[in-house]
Amino acid sequence: MRQAADLLSFRTAGRGLYEITREVDAWVRRQGMQTGLLTLFCRHTSASLLIQENAAPEVRTDIEAFFERLAPEDPALYAHDDEGPDDMPAHLRAALTNTQLSIPLIGGRLALGTWQGVYLFEHRRSTPQREIVLHLVGE
Amino acid sequence: MRQAADLLSFRTAGRGLYEITREVDAWVRRQGMQTGLLTLFCRHTSASLLIQENAAPEVRTDIEAFFERLAPEDPALYAHDDEGPDDMPAHLRAALTNTQLSIPLIGGRLALGTWQGVYLFEHRRSTPQREIVLHLVGE
Amino acid sequence: MRQAADLLSFRTAGRGLYEITREVDAWVRRQGMQTGLLTLFCRHTSASLLIQENAAPEVRTDIEAFFERLAPEDPALYAHDDEGPDDMPAHLRAALTNTQLSIPLIGGRLALGTWQGVYLFEHRRSTPQREIVLHLVGE
């Protein structure tokens, strides 16, 4: 057994779900393993990870709208606003989704279901660079 | 160190929490390892995984009712309804819980707490077959 | 490749976020690995794990207040109240956050972002002892 680790960078353009399945899959294939466990780790507290349907685009916009209702931009609700009104809702939406995701590798392929895609969920209005750590253990 | 991977199938009968601890535990024991890391991965976006109390049954019905209030079946809220009114709430309830869970293995046993059970959380009204990938690395 | 596993105990003093980054980091360093995958597993269903900002303290109080609004202490909402009015909200807040978290280890250090801290999220009013299982695989 062996392992590999790396850092992928993504530039987002405002709030929303960005599919990163292709980039992640390409990195995994380059490691040349057949069986293993891939872990994705988001190095931020105002962006997160989500596995969701990659077919109907309305699913993504409905998910985005749901989290905007659940943790709204409303300064009256929060004490923390150092970085603007979208900062605290961003932390909450990240807390409700995932900082980390692991996906088994079987037969040389990620064991995602037919309709599953891996998404970087950006919660800030600005366009920061985001870092995702990848770690793969297997053989 | 070595690893094992497999696919478990479950047929659900409508929405709710289905305990799968026994099936998962039986698979782990068959691998004959003492120490390791088990990962469960749900290959669906309208069902999910949850570790919760396995003692009082009201905890499960209260959890189910909570997620039904939090992400209600209300066509006015969602653009996506290709597969019926329970489809979009199913994606949201899955997004709020877990597609993946990892549990350490110590002394030949899963390190679950006394009251913890592993549940498949079905969010659809229909009765689909659900696939959970298991991956174990250890020795 | 090799692995290590252990149990850390924490005594909490009521609801809230308790940073455990230092204790976790110290344990990881003692294992003397350069690259690997650390997994934290919370052996309880009324406490959970969260990675969040460790700079502004208002982020933590805003997170605590948000989850208190989202899953309120309101006996009218729940059937389960065997252990008091804070018990069922505790299960729900745990279900919405994480029972397990994995963090890659790179260059001998946890790959946390600059502002990320690891927190034990206590959801009960009482002051129980909490057990977190640590598992590290790497070399």
Side-chain angles (χ1 to χ4, degrees):
Chain A
M1 298 209 32
R2 59 189 173 91
Q3 58 183 345
D6 214 335
L7 192 69
L8 292 195
S9 287
F10 298 91
R11 187 163 287 281
T12 57
R15 296 180 306 172
L17 289 157
Y18 295 82
E19 184 162 15
I20 60 171
T21 316
R22 198 173 51 186
E23 289 87 343
V24 170
D25 192 55
W27 182 86
V28 168
R29 285 169 188 269
R30 283 200 298 276
Q31 311 314 316
M33 295 191 197
Q34 283 297 305
T35 307
L37 183 69
L38 171 73
T39 297
L40 298 94
F41 183 84
C42 177
R43 301 186 76 216
H44 308 277
T45 59
S46 56
S48 56
L49 297 165
L50 196 61
I51 289 180
Q52 262 299 332
E53 180 174 317
N54 60 2
E58 302 85 21
V59 173
R60 290 198 293 283
T61 51
D62 279 343
I63 289 175
E64 293 162 6
F66 172 79
F67 281 98
E68 285 167 28
R69 286 193 303 271
L70 191 58
E73 274 195 31
D74 178 351
L77 289 173
Y78 315 115
H80 178 72
D81 62 355
D82 296 0
E83 298 179 48
D86 65 326
D87 188 37
M88 197 57 224
H91 291 305
L92 297 173
R93 295 168 195 171
L96 289 164
T97 50
N98 308 286
T99 297
Q100 166 265 325
L101 279 175
S102 295
I103 309 170
L105 177 77
I106 300 183
R109 297 179 64 91
L110 291 173
L112 291 164
T114 311
W115 310 109
Q116 286 182 314
V118 182
Y119 291 87
L120 171 58
F121 201 171
E122 176 60 67
H123 304 297
R124 297 303 306 269
R125 290 180 176 280
S126 56
T127 62
Q129 185 157 318
R130 298 305 200 176
E131 294 182 342
I132 308 290
V133 177
L134 300 186
H135 177 272
L136 178 62
V137 54
E139 65 189 346
Chain B
M1 299 212 29
R2 59 190 173 91
Q3 58 184 346
D6 214 335
L7 193 69
L8 292 194
S9 287
F10 298 91
R11 187 162 288 281
T12 58
R15 297 180 306 170
L17 289 157
Y18 294 82
E19 185 162 15
I20 60 172
T21 316
R22 198 172 52 188
E23 289 86 344
V24 170
D25 193 56
W27 182 85
V28 168
R29 286 170 187 270
R30 282 199 299 276
Q31 312 314 315
M33 295 191 198
Q34 283 298 303
T35 307
L37 184 69
L38 172 72
T39 298
L40 298 94
F41 183 85
C42 178
R43 302 186 75 216
H44 308 276
T45 59
S46 57
S48 56
L49 298 165
L50 196 61
I51 289 181
Q52 262 298 332
E53 180 174 316
N54 61 0
E58 302 85 20
V59 173
R60 290 197 294 283
T61 50
D62 278 344
I63 289 174
E64 293 162 8
F66 172 80
F67 282 98
E68 285 166 28
R69 286 194 303 271
L70 191 58
E73 273 195 31
D74 178 350
L77 289 173
Y78 315 115
H80 177 73
D81 63 353
D82 296 0
E83 298 178 49
D86 65 328
D87 188 36
M88 197 58 224
H91 291 305
L92 297 173
R93 294 168 195 171
L96 290 164
T97 50
N98 308 287
T99 296
Q100 166 264 326
L101 278 174
S102 295
I103 309 171
L105 177 76
I106 299 183
R109 298 179 63 90
L110 291 173
L112 290 165
T114 311
W115 310 109
Q116 287 183 313
V118 183
Y119 291 87
L120 172 57
F121 201 171
E122 176 60 67
H123 304 297
R124 297 301 308 268
R125 291 180 175 279
S126 56
T127 63
Q129 184 156 319
R130 298 304 199 176
E131 294 181 341
I132 309 289
V133 178
L134 300 186
H135 177 272
L136 179 62
V137 55
E139 66 190 344
Chain C
M1 297 211 32
R2 59 190 174 91
Q3 59 184 344
D6 214 336
L7 192 70
L8 292 194
S9 287
F10 298 91
R11 187 162 288 279
T12 58
R15 297 180 305 172
L17 289 158
Y18 295 82
E19 184 162 15
I20 61 172
T21 315
R22 197 172 52 186
E23 290 86 344
V24 170
D25 193 56
W27 182 86
V28 168
R29 285 168 187 270
R30 283 200 297 277
Q31 312 313 316
M33 296 190 196
Q34 284 297 305
T35 307
L37 183 69
L38 171 72
T39 298
L40 298 94
F41 183 84
C42 178
R43 302 186 75 217
H44 308 278
T45 60
S46 57
S48 56
L49 298 165
L50 196 61
I51 289 180
Q52 261 299 331
E53 180 175 316
N54 62 1
E58 302 85 20
V59 173
R60 291 198 292 283
T61 51
D62 278 344
I63 289 175
E64 291 162 9
F66 173 79
F67 281 99
E68 285 167 29
R69 286 194 302 270
L70 191 58
E73 275 194 31
D74 178 351
L77 288 173
Y78 315 116
H80 177 73
D81 62 355
D82 296 0
E83 298 179 49
D86 65 327
D87 188 36
M88 197 57 224
H91 291 305
L92 297 174
R93 295 168 196 173
L96 289 164
T97 50
N98 308 287
T99 296
Q100 166 264 325
L101 279 175
S102 296
I103 309 171
L105 177 76
I106 299 184
R109 298 178 63 91
L110 292 173
L112 291 164
T114 311
W115 309 109
Q116 286 182 315
V118 183
Y119 291 88
L120 171 58
F121 202 170
E122 176 59 67
H123 304 297
R124 298 301 307 269
R125 292 180 175 279
S126 57
T127 62
Q129 185 156 317
R130 298 304 199 176
E131 295 182 341
I132 308 290
V133 178
L134 300 187
H135 178 273
L136 178 62
V137 54
E139 64 190 345

